[in-house]
């Protein structure tokens, strides 16, 4: 009753409507500050998860000798870790925002997925969240090369499992770019974006609420300052650490480089999240709120025509929820997490039914 699903009519859309319509999670819940989306956003950024998760880190070396980190959630703190018998049925790849900030909300989603039998793993970009930076190069906003290597590795490690991916906030730019560039070769069975940023350049140029921008800017600078020596050969470190906005930092890192400088316009021609959206061939649920203070007004920030024309993109739009907030009282404080997990369950059921339907009839 509080949500609207915008999509192109199809058998998959009908199945999704039935599955989500029968679920109670989309009714959300009452909250103390329903009309204060910026407080919801601040809570989402700062509140730690309960209980604290246990994480096992794995470093993946890339073809150019760079490193990305995969953090496997193996259980809550003080709980006995380890997996049960048999291989996983679904591996869930969690992609943080573009600043690499692993929020309490993302960890809470991972823990909820773990309780439901998923195998959650967090993708950390080069130099983010304590991942060592072994090359003087970071990952641009919409360059899916490193993510492709991680997905290929996960497929090789768990060849029989369904691979799923979910992104949070500005991290959706990376996931959407990967889905468009990979097309039917993405190896993913389904994907979801929570409060995604669809138009990267417009988002950087419009500016963001300082409650959101300054914590992420400081988080990025603190991480980059550890590698100031190695980055000095590629970028102007003084300009980088003196940036007063996320746009200035993005330009210092990827446009005003010493070896291959480029213009702001050319950078976004290669890094817009939806540049190849027509090639996407994987179901994608985008969970958005009309009062999102970070993405901006729906009229200019939501690509409504994409959801009307593509059979793979589904927009679940709610009136209130803030940015990655979607709060409710009680356990599992974000109903958006439950909606995403319900969506993945519905996709798995649909794919199994399609596989059975396409099998040749058994001989009598």
């Amino acid at each position: 009753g509080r949500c609207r699903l915008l999509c192109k009519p199809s058998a998959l859309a009908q199945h999704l409507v039935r599955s989500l319509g029968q679920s109670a999670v989309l009714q959300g819940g009452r909250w103390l500050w329903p009309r204060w989306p910026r407080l919801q956003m601040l809570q989402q950024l700062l509140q730690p998860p309960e209980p604290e998760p246990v994480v096992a880190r794995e470093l993946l070396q890339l073809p150019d000798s760079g490193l990305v980190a995969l953090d496997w959630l193996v259980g809550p703190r003080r709980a006995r870790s380890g997996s049960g018998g048999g291989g996983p049925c679904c591996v869930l790849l969690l992609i943080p925002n573009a600043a690499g900030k692993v929020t309490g909300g993302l960890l809470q989603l991972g823990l909820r997925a773990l309780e439901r039998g998923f195998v959650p793993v967090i993708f950390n970009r080069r130099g983010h969240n304590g991942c060592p930076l072994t090359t003087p190069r970071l990952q641009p906003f919409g360059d899916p090369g490193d993510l492709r290597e991680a997905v290929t590795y996960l497929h090789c490690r768990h060849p029989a499992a369904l691979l799923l991916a979910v992104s949070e906030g500005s991290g959706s730019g990376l996931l959407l770019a990967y889905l468009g560039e990979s097309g039917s070769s993405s190896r993913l069975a389904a994907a979801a974006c929570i409060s995604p940023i669809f138009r990267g350049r417009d988002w950087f140029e419009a500016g963001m609420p300082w409650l959101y921008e300054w914590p992420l800017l400081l988080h990025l600078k603190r991480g980059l300052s550890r590698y100031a020596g190695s980055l000095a050969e590629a970028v102007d470190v003084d300009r980088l650490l003196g940036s007063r906005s996320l746009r200035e930092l993005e330009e210092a890192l990827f446009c005003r480089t010493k070896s291959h400088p480029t213009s702001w316009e050319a950078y976004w021609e290669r890094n817009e999240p939806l540049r190849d959206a027509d090639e996407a061939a994987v179901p994608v649920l985008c969970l958005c709120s009309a009062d999102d203070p970070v993405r901006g007004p729906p009229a200019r920030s939501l690509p409504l025509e994409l959801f009307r024309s593509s059979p793979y993109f589904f927009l679940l739009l709610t009136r209130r929820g803030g940015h990655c907030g979607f709060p409710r009282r009680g356990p599992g404080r974000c109903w958006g997490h439950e909606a995403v997990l319900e969506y993945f369950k519905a996709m798995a059921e649909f794919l199994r039914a399609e596989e059975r339907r396409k099998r040749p009839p058994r001989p009598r």
Side-chain angles (χ1 to χ4, degrees):
R2 301 187 184 188
C3 298
R4 177 188 175 198
L5 185 67
L6 181 63
C7 59
K8 183 177 181 179
S10 65
L12 178 58
Q14 292 176 2
H15 177 76
L16 185 58
V17 168
R18 285 195 301 270
S19 298
L20 294 180
Q22 294 169 0
S23 173
V25 299
L26 294 187
Q27 297 182 12
R30 296 183 178 273
W31 201 53
L32 293 177
W33 307 311
R35 297 180 184 273
W36 291 5
R38 296 196 180 192
L39 282 179
Q40 299 175 18
M41 173 187 65
L42 195 61
Q43 182 203 42
Q44 183 267 342
L45 276 175
L46 301 179
Q47 185 175 15
E50 297 175 5
E52 187 181 354
V54 175
V55 174
R57 170 157 290 192
E58 187 174 14
L59 295 176
L60 178 64
Q61 188 170 28
L62 305 169
D64 66 348
S65 299
L67 293 175
V68 295
L70 298 175
D71 289 340
W72 299 86
L73 272 65
V74 295
R77 187 74 64 184
R78 296 183 300 275
R80 198 176 99 182
S81 61
S83 58
C89 62
C90 294
V91 175
L92 179 59
L93 183 62
L94 303 162
I95 302 176
N97 58 42
K101 173 70 174 175
V102 179
T103 64
L106 192 71
L107 289 173
Q108 197 67 52
L109 172 59
L111 289 174
R112 298 291 292 172
L114 191 66
E115 292 173 2
R116 292 194 174 200
F118 294 82
V119 178
V121 55
I122 300 172
F123 172 77
N124 298 285
R125 309 185 197 204
R126 305 173 185 228
H128 284 188
N129 195 26
C131 177
L133 186 65
T134 56
T135 61
R137 176 182 177 270
L138 291 166
Q139 188 173 9
F141 186 85
D143 178 2
D146 293 354
L147 180 61
R148 184 180 300 108
E149 295 291 333
V151 172
T152 301
Y153 169 74
L154 294 176
H155 175 72
C156 293
R157 177 166 174 173
H158 298 293
L162 283 180
L163 291 184
L164 310 167
V166 59
S167 56
E168 188 179 65
S170 53
S172 300
L174 181 62
L175 179 56
L176 292 170
Y178 171 73
L179 294 173
E181 208 172 274
S182 301
S184 59
S185 305
S186 69
R187 300 182 185 275
L188 295 177
C193 302
I194 300 175
S195 297
I197 302 301
F198 295 103
R199 298 183 171 101
R201 179 179 176 179
D202 291 347
W203 182 67
F204 274 96
E205 292 178 353
M208 285 145 276
W210 66 270
L211 276 173
Y212 183 80
E213 184 165 23
W214 277 94
L216 292 184
L217 188 61
L218 292 174
H219 174 78
L220 271 170
K221 286 183 179 180
R222 185 167 60 246
L224 292 172
S225 64
R226 299 174 54 194
Y227 308 111
S230 58
L231 286 173
E233 63 184 84
V235 301
D236 183 342
V237 174
D238 291 336
R239 178 190 290 270
L240 179 68
L241 298 181
S243 302
R244 303 185 64 182
S245 67
L246 288 175
R247 173 180 174 170
E248 289 182 15
L249 188 137
E250 193 80 3
E251 283 190 281
L253 270 177
F254 303 112
C255 298
R256 303 178 184 273
T257 59
K258 296 180 179 179
S259 56
H260 298 93
T262 187
S263 67
W264 184 246
E265 293 76 15
Y267 173 73
W268 285 110
E269 286 179 7
R270 299 189 302 269
N271 286 281
E272 274 292 354
L274 297 180
R275 62 187 183 274
D276 296 315
D278 292 342
E279 302 297 324
V282 169
V284 188
L285 178 72
C286 298
L287 178 57
C288 299
S289 173
D291 69 347
D292 188 333
V294 175
R295 189 198 64 244
R300 66 172 175 82
S301 62
L302 292 179
L304 299 180
E305 187 55 37
L306 174 66
F307 296 100
R308 295 190 182 103
S309 60
S310 173
Y312 294 106
F313 283 88
F314 303 88
L315 174 62
L316 189 59
L317 183 63
T318 180
R319 281 199 311 152
R320 294 193 177 94
H323 184 72
C324 302
F326 308 101
R328 68 176 182 184
R329 289 179 175 175
R333 294 175 187 159
C334 176
W335 64 261
H337 295 165
E338 302 299 325
V340 166
L341 295 177
E342 195 72 30
Y343 158 75
F344 284 136
K345 176 185 174 184
M347 288 299 102
E349 292 172 352
F350 183 83
L351 292 173
R352 284 195 292 266
E354 285 294 293
E355 186 178 347
R356 288 194 298 268
R357 186 177 65 82
K358 292 178 181 178
R359 286 177 188 163
R362 295 178 61 183
R364 293 188 177 183

